[in-house]
Amino acid sequence: MVIPNQPIGSPVEHPNATAVLFLGAASILCCGALGPVAWALGKRALDQIEASGGAIGGRAQVLVGYILGIVGTILMVLMATAVLLITLGGNA
């Protein structure tokens, strides 16, 4: 049985899959400013993977990095808010 519009062979991993995963993990562990970068690159890579129709792989890596980027961004905003409130709060 032949499936039309399906690539032959195994899919090639997206070139940014590892970078998105690394940036997402780094945004959680050490540098929250990398979160928005992982978020943006992850969204672009996910769109390209979906549009490829199965020709490009690495969706799991990109998705994990994308989610870690979102979480890292949220943590960065929460920490910045806490620091701002402590600074403005005065004599604690």
Side-chain angles (χ1 to χ4, degrees):
M1 175 178 197
V2 176
I3 301 173
N5 298 326
Q6 288 294 322
I8 297 174
S10 62
V12 177
E13 184 177 295
H14 193 279
N16 291 340
T18 305
V20 171
L21 182 61
F22 173 77
L23 289 171
S27 73
I28 295 285
L29 298 175
C30 63
C31 183
L34 294 176
V37 177
W39 195 349
L41 282 177
K43 178 62 175 153
R44 184 181 312 155
L46 283 173
D47 290 343
Q48 291 171 352
I49 290 170
E50 293 298 320
S52 74
I56 301 175
R59 187 178 193 287
Q61 275 185 317
V62 172
L63 189 60
V64 169
Y66 176 73
I67 291 170
L68 288 175
I70 292 171
V71 172
T73 302
I74 291 170
L75 290 175
M76 178 184 68
V77 169
L78 289 175
M79 289 301 293
T81 304
V83 167
L84 183 66
L85 290 176
I86 290 171
T87 303
L88 295 177
N91 306 330

